[in-house]
Amino acid sequence: MLLSQQDVLKLGMGAGNETAVAEFILEGFSGLDQRLQLFLSLILLLMYLTTLTGNTMIIFLVCVDHRLQTPMYFFISNLAFLEIWFTSSTTIKLLVILSSGRRTISLKSCFAQSYFYVALGFTEFALLVVMSFDRYVAICQPLHYAAIMKQQLCTHLVVAAWVLGFTLLSYRLVLLSKLTFCGPNKIQHFFCDSSPLFKLSCSDTTLLWKADSILISFVVLGSLCLIMVSYMCIFHCILHMPSASGRRKAFATCSSHLTALAIVYGSCIVLYARPSEGVSLETNTIVALLNTVLYPFLNPFIYSLRNKTVKLALEEALGRPKVWLFPRS
């Protein structure tokens, strides 16, 4: 006896944990005109390539130039490596969507994207805490800096950040793999973010919602508090510096760092540390772009490429006189 398509679907949905949805459709920016989508894709491609080039350059310079083989640049090179993967986890698919209109993504790819996006984000928060501690010791305890920030401690801190970021999210893969999706299959975003993905599941996602909410709030707000404590101590030390020029230089460096932190933490608090019902789809999309595209794009310039030592190392690596690449006014 031949079965109709509806009968087959019903049987499939009733057979254990089988899911009727084989792929999702990412609906982010679908309301834009096609020419606007193409224009946006060109801008994002330029920013993405700049992000890759800048972060790769930082990693290369730290590896080959002995002047940059210090704890601060060791942490910055790890942050640069992380940013390459973090922005790639969402931007590549976004460029495909905007340039070709191919919006489908398989279940496994969607789950993997969701996992790596959050895991890399957690790792970044841990690295930012480590970097703020490094700056605190360098500014407030300069005579003890070499004794405290030894290579072994720096390596342990970086490894701990990576391991912590990925192991904290191991529960996610297990719980995601148990979800069933019976339709619809349209995700109202340009990547597989948690909230729109969970809303499509016909399984009970209460445990995932609670676990994500508690863990994300703890990591985001906890790391933010630690960073703010470090910077308050740094500002206290800066105010007691005898040199006015030293105070200005330290304040300028810290203000640029705090600007970058405001972007990443502000976007995460808007997206994840408040009820999703209070945030519109358009706001979610724009804020997510700040987090996934703009922040990784700005990082090389904020943390490294404005530094005189990095500029000198880059000019020497390119084999050009200083005035050719970075003319002085």
Side-chain angles (χ1 to χ4, degrees), residues 71-84:
M72 180 180 75
Y73 287 107
F74 174 68
F75 296 135
I76 289 176
S77 64
N78 272 273
L79 182 66
F81 179 75
L82 182 144
E83 292 293 1
I84 291 174

Side-chain angles (χ1 to χ4, degrees), residues 17 174-176 178-182 197-211:
N17 287 330
V174 177
L175 296 179
L176 282 174
K178 295 182 178 180
L179 294 181
T180 56
F181 296 88
C182 314
L197 180 62
F198 295 166
K199 288 178 181 178
L200 294 181
S201 176
C202 48
S203 305
D204 183 8
T205 58
T206 305
L207 180 59
L208 260 174
W209 277 110
K210 289 182 178 179

Side-chain angles (χ1 to χ4, degrees), residues 156-177:
H156 288 167
L157 289 173
V158 167
V159 171
W162 282 92
V163 172
L164 188 66
F166 278 82
T167 54
L168 277 177
L169 269 296
S170 57
Y171 76 91
R172 245 174 164 265
L173 283 178
V174 177
L175 296 179
L176 282 174
S177 64

Side-chain angles (χ1 to χ4, degrees), residues 271-286:
L271 290 173
Y272 304 112
R274 55 181 289 185
S276 60
E277 291 79 5
V279 184
S280 67
L281 174 61
E282 293 76 12
T283 302
N284 257 341
T285 303
I286 294 172

Side-chain angles (χ1 to χ4, degrees), residues 3-4 9 21 45 141 238 249 264 281 290:
L3 295 175
S4 67
L9 182 60
V21 175
L45 177 61
Q141 304 287 336
I238 291 174
K249 182 180 178 181
V264 65
L281 174 61
L290 296 178

